[in-house]
């Protein structure tokens, strides 16, 4: 076995002076104002006719809309592609490197390939163009430098006006990527409107996230029912219902009649207030004497997010809502804990 090399005594880095690393509020404010100015330059100088032609070309696509780019522009292109997919539009990101090693086989003559590049001189994209053109795709460049090679080689070009980068050296792509993102996402929403995408269709593409759950889940999907309900009769003594009040985990009793019509609610807060006001007399009080006869309720077909809003509404928030049908028959209960657990 060979011996390990002797350890090297490397010099320690000099201690940092925190005073040299502070950012003043004025400096940050001025940077935000400068970036706002650069973005305003983009909005004021964007050729809307180019943007409209681009949007209509994407809208009329009968194939897949591919996006490509390198570096930061590649990240933006990928994000815009994902946005279109979430709207139900066939789209994908095509890595220019992987495309030249087999992935270009995904392209067909019905497709569109959108190439994002600030300079329009990105070598990887320029090498991709003749191969993509051989597949018969429609080529569109989105660039910021006028009269560039990429724009000349494509069927269509959209010029994104760039005053300068916010970077003091005018090098780091922080403004150019911002306007690329603004442009792409705005076009995506235009396509969304043109395709008359409904909330239900949008939610169907986001079933696991909070967006989808808030648009898909109804009260009946998240409510407790049947044996999970903490029910009692109005003639039951309060002290005899303490177990029912606590063991169902709802923080309340649902007071019903013989036909399961909701008469009122009695909460653990009501119990504390009654005990404080009545003392030993609580042993003789019935639930019906102390319950709330006008509780907030909700129907089973209401959206779960509506239940959340109703719980939080003035004059004071509540932790649950009895679920009743049109005949005031109790069919369930929805709790704030249940809604939060469901991811709403």
């Amino acid at each position: 076995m060979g011996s390990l090399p002797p350890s090297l005594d490397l010099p320690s880095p000099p201690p940092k002076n925190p005073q040299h690393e502070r950012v003043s509020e004025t400096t940050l404010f001025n940077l935000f104002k400068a970036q706002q100015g650069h973005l305003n330059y983009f909005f004021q100088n964007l050729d809307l006719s180019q943007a409209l032609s681009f949007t209509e070309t994407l809208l009329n696509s009968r194939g897949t809309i591919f996006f490509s780019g390198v570096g930061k522009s590649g990240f933006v292109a990928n994000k815009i592609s994902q946005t279109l997919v979430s709207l139900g539009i066939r789209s994908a990101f095509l890595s220019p490197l992987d495309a030249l090693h087999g992935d270009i086989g995904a392209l067909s003559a019905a497709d569109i390939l959108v190439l994002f590049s600030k300079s329009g001189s990105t070598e990887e994209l320029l090498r991709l163009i003749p191969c993509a053109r051989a597949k018969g795709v429609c080529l569109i460049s989105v660039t910021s430098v006028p009269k560039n090679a990429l724009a000349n080689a494509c069927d269509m070009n959209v010029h994104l006006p760039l005053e300068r980068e916010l970077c003091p050296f005018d090098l780091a792509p922080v403004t150019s990527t911002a306007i690329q993102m603004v442009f792409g996402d705005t076009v995506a929403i235009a396509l969304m409107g043109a395709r008359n995408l409904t909330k239900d269709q949008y939610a169907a593409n986001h079933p696991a996230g909070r967006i989808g759950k808030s648009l898909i889940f109804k009260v009946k999907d998240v409510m407790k029912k049947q044996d999970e309900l903490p029910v009692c009769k109005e003639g039951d003594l309060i002290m005899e219902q303490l177990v029912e009040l606590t063991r169902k985990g709802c923080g309340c009793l649902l007071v019903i009649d013989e036909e399961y019509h909701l008469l009122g609610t009695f909460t653990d807060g009501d119990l504390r207030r009654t005990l404080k006001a009545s003392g030993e007399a609580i042993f003789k009080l019935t639930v019906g004497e102390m319950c709330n006869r006008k509780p907030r309720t909700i129907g089973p077909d209401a959206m779960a997010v509506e239940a959340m809003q109703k719980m939080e509404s003035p004059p004071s928030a509540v932790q649950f809502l009895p679920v009743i049908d049109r005949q005031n028959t109790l069919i369930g209960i929805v709790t704030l804990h249940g809604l939060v657990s469901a991811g709403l």
Side-chain angles (χ1 to χ4, degrees):
M1 296 178 60
S3 60
L4 293 175
S7 59
L8 298 177
D9 294 328
L10 298 176
S12 301
K16 295 182 179 180
N17 186 344
Q19 292 184 347
H20 292 168
E21 296 186 352
R22 295 182 62 184
V23 177
S24 71
E25 182 177 326
T26 300
T27 299
L28 192 60
F29 175 79
N30 289 337
L31 286 171
F32 278 120
K33 288 292 290 183
Q35 184 75 310
Q36 182 183 37
H38 300 330
L39 293 176
N40 286 339
Y41 177 87
F42 162 74
F43 290 121
Q44 293 164 3
N45 292 278
L46 177 65
D47 187 334
L48 284 179
S49 64
Q50 286 187 356
L52 180 60
S53 296
F54 175 77
T55 305
E56 290 178 336
T57 300
L58 267 55
L59 180 63
N60 295 325
S61 172
R62 294 296 176 263
T64 300
I65 304 171
F66 287 91
F67 288 83
S68 190
V70 176
K72 307 300 188 298
S73 294
F75 292 134
V76 174
N78 194 3
K79 190 273 176 189
I80 295 170
S81 174
Q82 291 174 359
T83 298
L84 293 187
V85 170
S86 75
L87 301 178
I89 299 172
R90 281 184 296 170
S91 182
F93 176 76
L94 182 67
S95 163
L97 177 61
D98 292 338
L100 296 177
H101 290 273
D103 283 5
I104 199 169
L107 298 179
S108 71
D111 299 333
I112 296 172
L113 178 57
V114 182
L115 306 170
F116 274 83
S117 171
K118 170 188 171 181
S119 66
S121 59
T122 308
E123 291 184 9
E124 294 87 342
L125 297 182
L126 291 172
R127 288 200 300 267
L128 175 60
I129 284 181
C131 305
R133 188 172 295 285
K135 303 286 288 187
V137 302
C138 174
L139 293 167
I140 304 176
S141 60
V142 181
T143 60
S144 289
V145 174
K147 300 179 181 179
N148 60 78
L150 199 63
N152 292 335
C154 289
D155 302 306
M156 177 189 299
N157 175 254
V158 180
H159 175 70
L160 303 184
L162 175 65
E163 185 175 31
R164 60 160 289 141
E165 299 286 2
L166 183 64
C167 166
F169 310 121
D170 195 18
L171 294 175
V174 290
T175 304
S176 56
T177 50
I179 64 177
Q180 286 175 344
M181 190 76 77
V182 168
F183 173 77
D185 283 346
T186 304
V187 169
I189 298 305
L191 295 174
M192 179 182 180
R195 292 163 63 95
N196 296 315
L197 189 73
T198 66
K199 274 189 176 182
D200 289 341
Q201 291 171 325
Y202 184 75
N205 296 331
H206 300 77
R210 185 171 184 178
I211 295 173
K213 289 177 180 178
S214 67
L215 296 175
I216 293 177
F217 280 17
K218 294 185 177 181
V219 168
K220 61 186 177 184
D221 298 320
V222 295
M223 71 181 185
K224 293 185 176 184
K225 46 194 171 184
Q226 298 176 351
D227 294 340
E228 298 177 294
L229 302 182
V231 295
C232 69
K233 303 296 175 59
E234 61 179 333
D236 293 339
L237 293 174
I238 292 176
M239 299 306 290
E240 293 178 352
Q241 294 300 317
L242 292 184
V243 173
E244 187 72 4
L245 177 61
T246 57
R247 75 186 181 96
K248 297 294 179 66
C250 297
C252 69
L253 291 170
L254 303 174
V255 188
I256 57 172
D257 62 15
E258 297 295 335
E259 297 179 342
Y260 240 73
H261 293 128
L262 181 68
L263 301 179
T265 60
F266 184 82
T267 68
D268 47 12
D270 293 329
L271 174 63
R272 290 190 294 271
R273 286 186 289 271
T274 302
L275 181 60
K276 183 177 181 180
S278 304
E280 294 183 2
I282 194 174
F283 289 96
K284 298 181 180 180
L285 292 175
T286 65
V287 177
E289 291 177 278
M290 305 305 296
C291 71
N292 174 15
R293 296 278 178 168
K294 294 182 178 180
R296 297 180 205 177
T297 61
I298 199 165
D301 292 319
M303 302 306 295
V305 68
E306 181 184 339
M308 177 80 80
Q309 294 167 351
K310 199 166 188 178
M311 288 183 194
E312 297 173 344
S313 63
S316 59
V318 296
Q319 300 293 310
F320 67 90
L321 293 174
V323 184
I324 58 174
D325 63 16
R326 294 182 180 179
Q327 287 73 44
N328 195 44
T329 302
L330 179 68
I331 58 176
I333 184 173
V334 59
T335 65
L336 181 60
H337 179 267
L339 291 174
V340 173
S341 297
L344 294 165

